[in-house]
Amino acid sequence: MANRCTGSAAPYLRTLVAQTIQGDRHMYDEGYIRKLYEDYCVWIQDDEIVGWCNRAGYTFNYCGIEIAVADTMNGIINRFGEDQNYAHRVFLMFDGIHYDPLYMEPVN
């Protein structure tokens, strides 16, 4: 799958997450997102809000990139898209406040 993301600004990605949630209400039900759809879609687009790790996963899945997030608070690595055979993998570090890029590599 080709990399479909052309914008890298936070507002673009926040809008993308909101659209992804709205586009598949079966997969991302209100119990999963822990808010009403309309409230969540407004909330995630606020620049002051830190999205959760699985929200970052939505964005990278759309972009066709595997993501590995090293969560320094819990000592775990969350992976998204590892079963999709994407051509690239990005490594992020999450310190409990925000995400920092670590590395991007080709998978093959």
Side-chain angles (χ1 to χ4, degrees):
M1 175 181 288
N3 183 327
R4 293 182 280 177
C5 285
T6 57
S8 62
Y12 170 81
L13 295 175
R14 289 175 179 278
T15 299
L16 177 61
V17 170
Q19 290 172 345
T20 300
I21 297 294
Q22 288 176 320
D24 193 347
R25 290 185 177 207
H26 176 71
M27 182 167 182
Y28 309 113
D29 64 29
E30 290 178 345
Y32 183 75
I33 62 174
R34 301 180 187 161
K35 291 184 182 293
L36 296 174
Y37 285 106
E38 294 75 17
D39 294 344
Y40 180 85
C41 292
V42 170
W43 174 82
I44 196 61
Q45 294 182 77
D46 183 340
D47 288 337
E48 300 296 316
I49 300 300
V50 175
W52 299 342
C53 185
N54 57 349
R55 283 19 170 219
Y58 305 154
T59 303
F60 284 93
N61 184 50
Y62 175 85
C63 295
I65 299 172
E66 181 182 329
I67 178 176
V69 179
D71 183 334
T72 63
M73 299 296 292
N74 297 309
I76 60 173
I77 296 177
N78 294 298
R79 293 181 64 192
F80 300 91
E82 67 269 21
D83 60 342
Q84 300 298 313
N85 297 316
Y86 294 138
H88 290 89
R89 177 184 303 127
V90 66
F91 291 87
L92 303 177
M93 181 175 67
F94 181 67
D95 64 5
I97 299 173
H98 58 85
Y99 298 93
D100 292 309
L102 293 176
Y103 186 71
M104 185 167 176
E105 70 177 3
V107 175
N108 301 333

